[in-house]
């Protein structure tokens, strides 16, 4: 469990109930929202993420307050947000004044602490679920590379002043090393071979899951019950699929499983409604890149 005992901001300490600092299209936040939805926690109206107005401090019982931090507008790369999350990423969850970071830890915390069906099965299925979650979270960095290269592109580049500001804001011991990533990305220092390597790593991971789905007629990734493994892999697949990767050709069983995940009302509640603009925009860009032979489809067919 990753708890920040003494955040630099006084805001988390003032919040009661559940508050989620998140972003609609961010897979790391989507997986936490998906867990919350599966646990039956309702989504109250969003409030501005910095707000400490009296009416925004207390989440109604059985609900969480969303505090969207726009990654598009780079609100995460600000001193105010660094005071909440020193690694400058979403999500962060506050529960009764206690600040939690790291999405997988948050998923486990929500699953273990709140009532509702457990999203980690018992026994062998539970072990499989945990190893699938671990494998997916190891691939998070590769998702970042693919997203920046094929979905965000020039939009996400920072000018030299902003790069320097970010270098000062980022915690030197941050496991994300976001300032360094942005510096290399913004100055075109990441080679095409590096990007291709991250695509290959993701393909290895998706290939393992495809094999698992070949084994028997399992309903969900870890067995009969929908679990944390389905949540983490489906949001990863959504991101890479929207970036133009042809899952239907390369991994048809995964595509089939994913279509079933999407049918869950909790998927719509946690993810679908946030992706009404971002999803089509990302897919349109991916389609153009694929049309001109510069998209993920080219790497997939090699
Ligand atoms: N290890 C972190 C990683 C979180 C992360 O990478 N979040 C991404 C969104 S999925 C982010 O906020 N990126 C900020 C940026 O790219 O500027 C976790 O799992 O919570």
């Amino acid at each position: 469990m990753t708890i920040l005992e003494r955040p630099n901001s006084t805001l988390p300490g003032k919040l009661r109930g559940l508050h989620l600092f998140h972003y609609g299209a961010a897979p790391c936040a989507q997986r936490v929202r998906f867990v919350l939805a599966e646990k039956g926690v309702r989504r109250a109206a969003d409030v501005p993420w910095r707000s400490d107005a009296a009416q925004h401090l207390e989440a109604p019982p059985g609900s969480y307050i969303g505090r969207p931090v726009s990654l598009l507008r780079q609100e995460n790369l600000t001193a105010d947000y660094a005071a909440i999350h020193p690694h400058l990423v979403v999500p962060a969850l506050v529960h009764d004044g206690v600040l939690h970071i790291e999405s997988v830890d948050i998923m486990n915390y929500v699953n273990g602490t709140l009532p509702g069906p457990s999203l980690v099965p018992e026994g062998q299925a539970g072990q499989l679920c945990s190893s699938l979650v671990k494998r997916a979270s190891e691939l998070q960095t590769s998702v970042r590379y693919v997203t920046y290269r094929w979905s965000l592109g020039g939009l996400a580049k920072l000018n030299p002043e902003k790069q320097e500001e970010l270098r000062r804001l980022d915690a030197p011991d941050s496991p994300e090393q976001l300032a360094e990533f942005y510096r290399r990305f913004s100055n075109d220092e990441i080679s095409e071979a590096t990007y291709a390597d991250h695509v290959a790593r993701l393909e290895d991971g998706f290939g393992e899951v495809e094999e698992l789905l070949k084994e028997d007629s399992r309903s969900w990734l870890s067995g009969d019950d929908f679990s944390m493994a389905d949540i983490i892999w489906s949001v990863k697949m959504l991101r890479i699929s929207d970036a133009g990767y042809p899952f239907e050709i390369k991994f048809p069983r995964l595509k089939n499983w994913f279509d079933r995940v999407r049918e869950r009302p909790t998927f719509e509640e946690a993810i679908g409604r946030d992706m009404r603009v971002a999803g089509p925009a990302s897919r349109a860009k991916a389609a153009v890149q694929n049309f001109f032979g510069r998209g993920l489809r080219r790497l997939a067919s090699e």
Side-chain angles (χ1 to χ4, degrees), residues 9-75:
S9 165
T10 55
L11 178 60
K14 296 179 191 166
L15 305 179
R16 291 291 161 261
L18 291 160
H19 294 249
L20 184 67
F21 293 84
H22 70 122
Y23 181 59
C28 309
Q30 288 173 341
R31 57 211 202 191
V32 170
R33 295 200 305 266
F34 205 166
V35 170
L36 284 161
E38 287 285 333
K39 294 295 268 185
V41 186
R42 289 186 314 278
R43 214 168 150 175
D46 284 342
V47 306
W49 65 271
R50 293 182 174 86
S51 176
D52 64 355
Q55 70 275 23
H56 296 159
L57 296 182
E58 181 142 3
S63 311
Y64 69 96
I65 288 183
R67 292 176 169 261
V69 180
S70 172
L71 302 191
L72 205 58
R73 290 197 297 271
Q74 297 168 343
E75 291 176 344

Side-chain angles (χ1 to χ4, degrees), residues 163-271:
Q163 288 175 43
E164 178 52 26
E165 187 189 328
L166 179 55
R167 194 188 60 74
R168 285 196 302 269
L169 280 180
D170 202 6
D173 59 349
S174 164
E176 309 300 335
Q177 292 294 304
L178 206 61
E180 178 57 11
F181 174 81
Y182 269 105
R183 188 193 65 72
R184 290 174 56 229
F185 176 76
S186 303
N187 296 301
D188 295 324
E189 285 181 19
I190 303 173
S191 69
E192 284 302 300
T194 301
Y195 288 118
D197 181 55
H198 283 289
V199 175
R201 286 180 203 210
L202 285 164
E203 282 189 316
D204 287 348
F206 286 120
E208 291 160 25
V209 182
E210 178 82 0
E211 283 304 310
L212 187 67
L213 289 168
K214 273 186 198 159
E215 269 175 25
D216 52 36
S217 57
R218 62 185 54 228
S219 312
W220 302 110
L221 295 187
S222 51
D224 293 337
D225 299 313
F226 184 82
S227 78
M228 213 88 108
D230 299 289
I231 289 180
I232 197 162
W233 278 98
S234 60
V235 298
K236 202 171 291 301
M237 185 161 161
L238 177 67
R239 178 89 285 284
I240 303 303
S241 169
D242 282 357
Y245 189 85
F247 280 95
E248 65 289 356
I249 300 169
K250 293 283 285 189
F251 302 118
R253 285 183 175 77
L254 260 169
K255 167 78 173 68
N256 191 283
W257 155 85
F258 181 63
D259 288 344
R260 284 190 294 112
V261 174
R262 294 181 92 124
E263 280 164 14
R264 295 176 83 80
T266 47
F267 183 93
E268 173 56 25
E269 150 105 359
I271 297 166

Side-chain angles (χ1 to χ4, degrees), residues 26-28 31 71 76 88-91 102-103 140 144 148 176 178 182:
C28 309
R31 57 211 202 191
L71 302 191
N76 59 317
L88 307 164
V89 291
V90 292
E102 286 304 324
S103 57
Q140 189 51 40
R144 179 174 296 152
Y148 277 74
E176 309 300 335
L178 206 61
Y182 269 105

